[in-house]
């Protein structure tokens, strides 16, 4: 038996079974919870302090119950729950993802991504519209996790907290409240129409007809303030932050219809428009439900578990084997090399580690970690290899979500996105002006038409169709390409690929195959001890040349050096006991006096060069056809850190005017990309992500070629599986053609708004019909994007 853990301000617990109050410190068993009457409640979430699922709390005197009204977030004060829910936790920053099924339009995105304006403790928020999730970063010294959740609840987005995450199960969040609101609106709409039948049939008013209007008012009040509350609340918070959103004209339309109807019924000057108001909200909710149903059915959230081309080294007996991330489990011991991403939350088993969390936080400060400390997914190991034990199943969708966030972004313009943003910004203001002009005009011509026309204009014109054109059309393209091993960071990358004029290739590991590099040397001159030291040193590096040397050597090797450092584009050095080993280019070994004339990799032990490995590179299958074909439409160049010994082979399939630049350091590559951009060119860089991360980040589009290794580079915009390299031309062509899909979607949305407004301003469109057409336009654009993107891709398979 042990005592129930509850916050200090809790005085008693109400049993969910019998309703009696019990002391907060009453004893419970390990598997059951017993109340004072002996009731038994299965003990499932108690270990995670998810007590609100089974109990109602009674607070001690003087403690406010405001935040507990309706929902109980008290369990979010427990450290165990917090640690299990947070994706990242350090002293100055915490991160957590919430499922918010209430998200339904562009206004929701704006409100949630600007929630930091309501509380300075919230650092930032990023919304994934299609998966209806938001990632929130906050400063724990200013705001607690519970307060973050309560803030989201206050603005109308109570999170579906994924407590199942603690047992590694997956769940789909469904906004069940939507069904209740939809049912209430449908019930009231039908009954108000029934009460309005005498008016519809043109019958003379009965003596009690006046009272039927009051019944309609009673029926419509819960429809307005419950079923339509999300729109009213969103409009309120948007105005409070001094912004404009599409929910504002919708809310104005609702309130206008309600107030005008109540006035006409009470003053006996008319029948009102309560049937139109109830129908308007009912059909809005139907459209919202259909969008939600479509989100879950199509499942745009790319399932990287089956094909994301990243793996990790896992201990298997006395050896290490490569295993894809989806096959890793809690308890597995993995090896993370220098510059590799930590794939999942884990415990550092031995020694010390230096971790760069800039992928997660955007801050480049390095953190020192000691044996036994927890390391979070997304951190990058800097230095010697480290061994970790996973404590949670690897969530690849979390890595891709980090990839899509702003930590590694620079100002890469996406013209289509910019156009949509500008259009949405002024659209609502324009519609409100048109509605005001329509109301003024009809008040002088025919007052019976004025309010219907005013409301219809506010409702029928909606920028959501424009806003959904890109996420649905391009979102489906992301999914299609992902199935073909070409993974784009986000939809903005598609837009930037369409603008590319110049393509620059790295050589080693990009147009040459990592797995087909042969390292040869005179092994007879290498002693057993030297063989051991060389193999131990190159094992620490993820570079393809290091891997080739490692594979060429037999025998055992040491896992943990006393010191390790890797100089990008130059070489590596390590210390094992009294031995200092350097492996790298001639310049790296001999210093500035060395030259790049002699190819291969040199080995130095304690200041003496003991070996020289010659490297034989093999080109990837299909590279000749790919580059020669790309050369017809783009300016193609090669930018390599190696010497020019391969230049003659490369000239056989590169265009005659192609720039071939060798002996380039990572900094030289970065400067070359900048120079090309300064000259007005849109540049795509294709590399392996090892020595060209800066160039990939600087380029307008950076693509990494990924082999069977953890060389995931957050700075890139796309990842291409090595097995799909020869299909890159088809993928780029498909992406370029997809711009016509967006143009078609814009034309559809524009025609809808023009036609709808034409009838609305003329008073020929009732608010109910407008409410049907509004979600219908979004659904049409959504289905158009899905169908056309699938049809176009079939042409390039």
């Amino acid at each position: 038996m042990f005592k129930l853990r509850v916050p200090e301000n809790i005085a008693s617990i109400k049993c969910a079974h019998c309703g009696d109050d019990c002391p907060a410190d009453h004893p419970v068993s390990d598997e059951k919870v017993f109340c004072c009457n002996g009731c038994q409640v299965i003990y499932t979430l108690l270990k995670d302090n998810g007590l609100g699922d089974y109990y109602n709390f009674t607070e001690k005197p003087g403690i406010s119950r405001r935040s507990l009204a309706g929902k109980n977030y008290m369990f979010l004060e427990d450290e165990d729950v917090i640690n299990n829910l947070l994706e990242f936790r350090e002293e100055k920053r915490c991160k957590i993802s919430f499922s918010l099924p209430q998200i339904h339009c562009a206004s929701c995105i704006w409100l949630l991504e600007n929630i930091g304006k309501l509380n300075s403790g919230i650092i930032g928020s990023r919304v994934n519209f299609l998966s209806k999730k938001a990632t929130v970063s906050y400063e724990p010294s200013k705001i607690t996790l519970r307060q973050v959740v309560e803030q989201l609840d206050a603005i109308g987005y109570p999170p579906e907290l994924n407590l199942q995450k603690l047992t590694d199960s997956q769940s789909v969040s469904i906004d069940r409240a939507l069904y209740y609101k939809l049912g209430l609106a449908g019930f009231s709409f039908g009954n108000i129409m029934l009460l309005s039948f005498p008016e519809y049939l043109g019958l003379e008013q009965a003596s009690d007809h006046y009272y039927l209007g009051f019944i309609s008012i009673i029926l419509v009040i819960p429809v307005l303030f419950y079923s339509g509350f999300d729109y009213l609340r969103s409009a309120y918070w948007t105005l409070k932050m001094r912004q404009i959103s599409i929910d504002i004209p919708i809310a104005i339309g609702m309130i206008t219809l309600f107030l005008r109807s109540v006035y006409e019924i009470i003053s006996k000057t008319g029948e009102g428009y309560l049937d139109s108001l109830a129908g308007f909200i009912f059909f809005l909710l139907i459209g919202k439900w259909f969008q939600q149903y479509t989100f879950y059915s199509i499942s745009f959230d790319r399932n990287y578990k089956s094909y994301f081309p990243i793996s990790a080294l896992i201990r298997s007996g006395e050896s290490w084997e490569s295993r894809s991330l989806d096959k890793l489990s809690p308890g597995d011991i993995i090896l993370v090399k220098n510059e590799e991403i930590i794939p999942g939350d884990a415990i550092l088993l031995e020694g010390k580690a230096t971790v760069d969390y800039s992928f997660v936080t955007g801050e480049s400060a390095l953190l020192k970690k000691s044996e036994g400390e927890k390391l979070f997914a997304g951190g990058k190991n800097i230095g010697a290899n480290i061994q970790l034990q996973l404590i949670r199943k690897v969530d690849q969708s979390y890595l891709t979500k980090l990839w899509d966030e702003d930590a590694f972004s620079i100002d890469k313009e996406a013209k289509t996105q910019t156009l949509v943003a500008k259009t949405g910004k002024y659209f609502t203001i324009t519609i409100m002006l048109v509605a005001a002009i329509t109301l003024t005009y009809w008040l002088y011509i025919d007052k019976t038409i004025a309010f219907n026309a005013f409301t219809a204009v506010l409702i029928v014109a909606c920028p959501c169709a424009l806003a959904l054109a890109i996420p649905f059309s391009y979102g489906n393209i992301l999914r299609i390409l992902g199935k073909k091993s070409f993974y784009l960071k986000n939809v903005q990358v598609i837009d930037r690929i369409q603008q590319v004029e110049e393509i620059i290739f790295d050589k080693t590991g990009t147009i040459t195959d990592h797995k087909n590099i042969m390292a040869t040397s005179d092994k007879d001159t290498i002693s057993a001890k030297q063989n051991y030291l060389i193999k131990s040193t190159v094992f620490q590096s993820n570079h393809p040349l290091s891997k080739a040397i490692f594979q060429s050597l037999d025998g055992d090797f040491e896992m943990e050096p006393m010191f390790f450092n890797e100089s990008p584009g130059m070489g590596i050095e390590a210390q094992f006991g009294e031995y200092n080993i350097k492996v790298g280019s001639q310049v790296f070994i001999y210093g500035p006096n060395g030259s790049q004339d002699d190819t291969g990799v040199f080995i130095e032990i304690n200041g003496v060069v003991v070996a020289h490995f010659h490297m034989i590179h093999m080109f990837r299958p299909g590279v000749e056809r790919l580059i020669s074909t790309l050369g017809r439409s783009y300016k193609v160049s090669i930018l390599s850190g190696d010497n020019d010994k391969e230049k003659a082979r490369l000239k056989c399939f590169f265009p005659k005017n192609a720039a071939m630049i060798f002996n380039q350091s990572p900094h030289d590559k970065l400067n070359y990309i900048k120079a090309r951009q300064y000259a007005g060119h849109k540049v795509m860089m294709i590399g392996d992500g090892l020595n060209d991360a800066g160039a990939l980040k600087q380029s307008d589009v950076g693509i990494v070629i990924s082999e069977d290794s953890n060389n995931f580079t957050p700075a890139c915009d796309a990842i291409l599986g090595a097995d799909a390299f020869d299909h890159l031309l088809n993928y780029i062509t498909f992406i370029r053609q997809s711009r016509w899909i967006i143009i078609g979607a814009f034309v559809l949305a524009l025609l809808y708004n023009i036609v709808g407004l034409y009838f609305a301003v003329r008073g020929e469109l009732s608010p109910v019909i407008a409410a049907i057409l509004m979600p219908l336009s979004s659904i049409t654009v959504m289905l158009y994007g899905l169908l056309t993107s699938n049809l176009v891709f079939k042409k390039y398979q």
Side-chain angles (χ1 to χ4, degrees), residues 769-791:
I769 301 300
I772 296 173
L773 293 176
M774 178 186 171
L776 189 62
S777 67
S778 299
I779 294 168
T780 302
V781 168
M782 177 184 65
L783 295 177
Y784 163 84
L786 293 175
L787 294 174
T788 53
S789 55
N790 280 305
L791 289 174

Side-chain angles (χ1 to χ4, degrees), residues 66-86:
R66 180 176 62 84
S67 63
L68 298 181
K71 292 186 177 65
N72 179 19
Y73 296 124
M74 198 72 72
F75 67 96
L76 293 177
E77 295 181 351
D78 183 85
E79 282 297 311
D80 292 336
V81 175
I82 294 173
N83 286 330
N84 279 289
L85 288 177
L86 291 180

Side-chain angles (χ1 to χ4, degrees), residues 502-651:
E502 181 174 349
I503 300 178
I504 299 175
F505 288 89
D506 179 38
K507 183 175 76 71
T508 304
T510 303
I511 62 175
T512 61
D513 193 341
H514 276 192
K515 296 180 180 180
N516 287 322
I517 300 176
M518 296 180 61
T520 62
S521 68
D522 187 358
K523 297 181 183 179
D524 294 337
T525 63
I526 302 176
S527 67
K529 182 64 175 180
Q530 292 171 341
N531 185 92
Y532 176 83
L533 293 172
I534 295 170
K535 190 166 186 177
S536 300
T537 301
V538 295
F539 178 73
Q540 310 298 319
S541 173
N542 214 19
H543 194 279
L545 300 186
S546 296
K547 291 181 177 181
I549 296 174
F550 181 83
Q551 294 296 330
S552 70
L553 298 175
D554 299 322
D556 296 330
F557 59 94
E558 175 70 28
M559 292 289 299
E560 298 179 8
M562 298 173 60
F563 166 80
F564 176 82
N565 182 60
E566 185 162 0
S567 301
M570 299 295 290
I572 58 177
E573 50 187 325
Q575 180 180 355
F576 294 91
E578 60 183 11
Y579 297 98
N580 294 301
I581 305 96
K582 295 179 69 176
V583 180
S585 66
Q586 191 174 27
V587 172
F588 182 69
I589 299 298
Y590 293 103
N593 296 326
S595 70
Q596 293 280 10
D597 294 337
D598 201 354
T599 61
V601 177
F602 294 82
I603 312 294
E604 178 188 284
I605 300 179
N606 288 343
V608 179
V609 175
V610 298
H612 177 210
F613 285 84
H614 296 280
M615 316 306 294
I616 301 174
H617 298 267
M618 304 295 290
F619 291 127
R620 293 188 186 277
V623 67
E624 295 90 347
R625 184 183 66 87
L626 171 66
I627 293 178
S628 61
T629 308
L630 285 174
R632 300 169 191 167
S633 303
Y634 301 92
K635 176 178 174 58
V636 179
S637 308
I638 189 163
L639 196 63
S640 175
D642 295 341
N643 55 45
D644 61 356
K645 295 295 184 181
E646 302 278 354
K647 188 172 184 179
R649 293 176 64 194
L650 295 171
K651 280 188 174 181

Side-chain angles (χ1 to χ4, degrees), residues 737-752:
Q737 293 299 317
S738 66
R739 75 177 67 187
W740 296 105
I741 298 174
I742 296 300
I743 292 173
F746 280 2
V747 170
L748 274 178
L750 186 61
L751 287 175
Y752 158 79

Side-chain angles (χ1 to χ4, degrees), residues 262 320 356-357 394 471 580 772:
V262 171
W320 298 88
D356 176 8
Y357 279 119
V394 174
N580 294 301
I772 296 173

Side-chain angles (χ1 to χ4, degrees), residues 467-482:
L468 291 176
I470 287 181
F472 271 98
S473 301
Y474 281 179
N476 194 45
I477 290 173
L478 294 185
R479 185 178 63 86
I480 292 171
L481 292 174

